[in-house]
Amino acid sequence: GLYVWENKISQQQQQQPQHVAFAQTTSDLEKLYTPRQVQQAQNVRELQRRLAYPPQQKFEQIIKSGFLRNCPYTVDDVRRSYHIYGPIVEVLKGKTTRARPTIVPSQRLVQLPSYIHEKHQHVTLCVDLLSVNGHYFLHTISRNIRFRTTSPLPNRTKKQLVRRLEPVFQQYHSRGFDINEVLADNEFQCIEADILPTRLNLVSRNEHVGDVENSNKYLKQTVRSLLCSVGARRVPKAMVIGAMDLATTCSNAFPLSNGISDSISPSTIVTGRAPLDFNNLKVTFGSYVQIHIHNNPTNSMQPRTIDAIALNPTGNTQGSYYFMNLDTGQRMSANKWIPCRLTSHVLANIERLAEAENQPLMIDGPSMFWHTAHGDIPLADSSVVHDDHQGAAYDVVSDDVTITTSIRMTVMTVIMSPVMMKMTATSSMMTILLPVTQKEWLLIAMRKFKERLSKFKERTWKIQELMRKFKFKERMITTVSMTRTKERRRKS
């Protein structure tokens, strides 16, 4: 007597990746109304432009009071246009006035309970590298305290690793903690002498530091969620860094069930800052806003606001945020802004900035890589790992890296031999075997190894040049010795 509904979906539809975003654009808001209501809203917005941009309240009064003869629109049309398209950007750029500066409140450092210093003064720090869309981050997490830090790396040299680790050490020392051990893989062997007297404990080739590997996975999932919520197919580097900073800040903001305190957050323990203030959470990551700028002189015809994308809080007590300038792609901070509707033009501008930086396409999410001693392998998640389970060790290879046999052979081909890669990893093979993100990753790998191959050729050319010089010197020495031998014979 039960009815059963069977969802018959073709296998091709199941395997096709869908790019899903939760950013609410003007096109999404237009779907909430009928085509006639949308057309009326667009006509009202055009009428407001023809009347030289009157303020919203005055414009509603003009329509309501009948001051405009034969006007077919109503106040509901005006309010509907504001709901769909938001404030007029031209009005914000031309009429925004300087806001009153915010009073900077004073804040004291939170004192720690005595038992934390007595039982957890000596800290073990776990360190690893994390890559998002080709951008490397130095990631650290402390055992027991569970405090995370992430720092963007321009390159993976020893100088950059030491430079990014120094502020982390100073942060712990300022709160009375001593870092007596650092756990890392073999890539960090070069910094062993620079972090003394802290002891560096390196894991073997087939081992992993479970704490930081699991934390990498947690941060990667959060960053993927943030970047996919924007709705753009590519994102610039500033947005990747902002997403990582926001994920790190939020993970440190609240107490953990497997931490050393159920009432004090890791951020408060290590930095001494008070818990997050709800009033400072003013804007969502990826939102389109107009930032107030101060022109000098103030009576010029320059715009009063600039287009920007919201990133992450700066961490000050005034509630300022970091933004990405849509004109330059650079990060900037601001305390005053006006939210606007996200349009297709704004998304196209974001993708334009990302394409200028050669950022990869995110058809089914950003490119996440698992860092190993042999290279970077793309990660494919099968389940979500909660932060409360990060204390347990797990098998990274079996749980976090699920690559088919054909892909694994292609990856090993790329890593081990550029010459073999040139023979086997053809474009037709990639089209048949690889999904979109793995194709993107393989193209990036091919480009990197082409660069390595060119460097190898350059070194080979230098060696050949040295060999030519050596052979020339050898011939000169042979000629001189033969000449001297002939002179001796002649004299004798």
Side-chain angles (χ1 to χ4, degrees), residues 458-472:
E458 184 179 356
R459 291 178 181 176
T460 306
W461 179 83
K462 290 182 179 180
I463 293 173
Q464 291 176 353
E465 189 69 22
L466 291 175
M467 290 295 293
R468 291 193 197 98
K469 293 181 179 179
F470 177 76
K471 289 181 179 178
F472 177 75

Side-chain angles (χ1 to χ4, degrees), residues 90-314:
E90 303 94 286
V91 175
L92 299 180
K93 290 180 177 292
K95 296 185 178 183
T96 301
T97 58
R98 184 177 182 272
R100 180 177 296 178
T102 305
I103 299 175
V104 181
S106 59
Q107 187 178 13
R108 295 182 178 180
L109 295 179
V110 178
Q111 298 297 325
L112 294 179
S114 58
Y115 76 89
I116 291 181
H117 279 129
E118 292 174 359
K119 299 183 179 181
H120 304 283
Q121 182 179 4
H122 300 291
V123 176
T124 299
L125 195 66
C126 305
V127 184
D128 199 7
L129 296 181
L130 177 65
S131 177
V132 179
N133 282 358
H135 305 295
Y136 283 97
F137 295 87
L138 177 65
H139 174 38
T140 69
I141 182 171
S142 53
R143 282 187 174 176
N144 301 327
I145 299 178
R146 317 302 297 173
F147 179 74
R148 295 184 180 90
T149 64
T150 53
S151 303
L153 291 172
N155 51 63
R156 292 156 56 179
T157 60
K158 171 185 174 181
K159 179 180 178 181
Q160 291 296 331
L161 294 177
V162 174
R163 182 181 178 184
R164 302 298 179 180
L165 276 176
E166 286 179 354
V168 179
F169 278 62
Q170 293 175 2
Q171 187 70 65
Y172 282 96
H173 293 161
S174 65
R175 293 287 284 173
F177 295 102
D178 296 328
I179 301 177
N180 61 344
E181 186 180 23
V182 173
L183 302 181
D185 56 22
N186 290 323
E187 184 168 0
F188 292 86
Q189 186 176 5
C190 59
I191 67 171
E192 184 173 5
D194 297 272
I195 63 174
L196 291 175
T198 302
R199 186 169 63 92
L200 179 63
N201 188 358
L202 300 176
V203 297
S204 61
R205 182 174 184 178
N206 296 323
E207 292 181 341
H208 305 280
V209 184
D211 302 78
V212 71
E213 294 288 351
N214 215 355
S215 183
N216 282 347
K217 187 175 181 179
Y218 172 78
L219 289 178
K220 176 196 62 174
Q221 292 167 344
T222 308
V223 171
R224 183 188 293 112
S225 302
L226 291 171
L227 295 182
C228 289
S229 67
V230 177
R233 295 176 299 174
R234 304 174 191 260
V235 291
K237 180 180 179 180
M239 294 189 68
V240 175
I241 296 176
M244 183 63 72
D245 290 344
L246 181 59
T248 307
T249 301
C250 293
S251 64
N252 292 328
F254 306 103
L256 304 176
S257 60
N258 60 343
I260 62 177
S261 176
D262 56 357
S263 60
I264 305 177
S265 66
S267 177
T268 303
I269 293 174
V270 179
T271 65
R273 295 180 179 177
L276 279 179
D277 189 353
F278 173 79
N279 295 324
N280 290 339
L281 301 176
K282 303 176 182 178
V283 65
T284 308
F285 176 86
S287 299
Y288 171 54
V289 299
Q290 292 289 320
I291 297 179
H292 297 200
I293 56 175
H294 306 298
N295 296 325
N296 190 17
T298 58
N299 59 351
S300 64
M301 289 295 103
Q302 295 181 358
R304 300 291 182 86
T305 61
I306 58 175
D307 303 334
I309 297 295
L311 298 180
N312 60 294
T314 61

